[in-house]
Amino acid sequence: MSELSEKKCIPCEGGVLPFDISEIHKYQKKVDGWDIVNDKKNIYFLEKKFTFKNFLESQKFINEVGKISEEEGHHPDITFGWGYAKINITTHAIEGLSENDFILAAKIDKI
């Protein structure tokens, strides 16, 4: 899909600026099917919804997302249930998107 899936997330303690909207759109082209959403505080997130045949497939997928997230030290917000999962990714320390978010999205897409 992209070279992003070959990169490693770099720990972020803050102190850097989040991507602006043009940088977000540039990186969005490198991941498949991830939407850009923002919340009430105008913090941008990557969001993608996945569908499955049943609860166990959803759970298996989420467990794989958890393994990747631990390996990368970058953790998404996850909602899942029977036949679905929704992943939201942002860099909380900078209240916005960074390359790490797109790296994690690319790795999730490889599951």
Side-chain angles (χ1 to χ4, degrees):
M1 175 173 302
S2 75
E3 72 282 351
L4 286 174
S5 64
E6 303 303 317
K7 292 186 172 187
K8 179 93 174 124
C9 291
I10 299 167
C12 181
E13 307 276 326
V16 296
L17 293 174
F19 282 172
D20 64 24
I21 195 68
S22 64
E23 195 75 6
I24 290 169
H25 287 299
K26 179 179 128 185
Y27 271 83
Q28 186 183 21
K29 294 175 185 173
K30 298 180 182 188
V31 293
D32 185 37
W34 290 84
D35 295 321
I36 306 300
V37 297
N38 60 346
D39 66 9
K40 295 175 190 171
K41 293 168 55 177
N42 209 29
I43 296 171
Y44 287 98
F45 293 81
L46 289 174
E47 180 177 278
K48 189 170 183 179
K49 296 173 185 168
F50 300 85
T51 57
F52 303 95
K53 292 180 183 175
N54 55 45
F55 183 84
L56 287 177
E57 286 187 16
S58 299
Q59 185 178 31
K60 180 180 174 188
F61 173 76
I62 293 306
N63 288 340
E64 290 298 315
V65 171
K67 287 178 193 174
I68 291 168
S69 300
E70 279 298 303
E71 290 169 3
E72 295 300 318
H74 193 49
H75 303 91
D77 294 328
I78 301 170
T79 306
F80 83 105
W82 196 98
Y84 76 92
K86 182 173 82 170
I87 309 286
N88 282 356
I89 307 172
T90 194
T91 301
H92 296 284
I94 62 171
E95 295 187 331
L97 293 171
S98 70
E99 185 178 52
N100 287 343
D101 303 303
F102 293 91
I103 290 170
L104 184 60
K107 289 178 183 268
I108 289 170
D109 281 341
K110 290 184 81 173
I111 296 174

